[in-house]
């Protein structure tokens, strides 16, 4: 369960927080797809879904 917490839950909370900050700062949804997800590049499947996850 620790891995689930770190690699799924924490990642999704991070995404939601960053996208929320972007929108709160009057950010365009188009650019929300490209928020910084670098803290999670170590995940095995990071490259495939990163932009889709932000969307």
């Amino acid at each position: 369960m620790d891995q689930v917490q770190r690699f799924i839950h924490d990642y999704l909370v991070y995404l939601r927080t960053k996208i929320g900050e972007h929108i709160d700062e009057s950010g365009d949804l188009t650019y929300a797809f490209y928020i910084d997800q670098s803290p999670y590049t170590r995940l095995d499947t990071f490259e495939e879904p990163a932009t889709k996850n932000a969307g």
Side-chain angles (χ1 to χ4, degrees):
M1 285 307 289
D2 285 343
Q3 285 184 325
V4 171
Q5 178 73 28
R6 271 195 326 268
F7 299 129
I8 297 173
H9 177 266
D10 291 355
Y11 173 61
L12 294 175
V13 168
Y14 175 84
L15 278 179
R16 183 180 174 111
T17 301
K18 290 296 183 180
I19 291 170
E21 290 170 358
H22 175 76
I23 291 170
D24 288 345
E25 294 170 1
S26 299
D28 188 314
L29 286 177
T30 302
Y31 295 105
F33 286 92
Y34 303 103
I35 62 163
D36 178 25
Q37 297 183 45
S38 61
Y40 292 91
T41 57
R42 70 185 182 285
L43 298 177
D44 291 338
T45 58
F46 174 79
E47 290 297 323
E48 293 86 3
T51 305
K52 292 177 184 172
N53 285 342

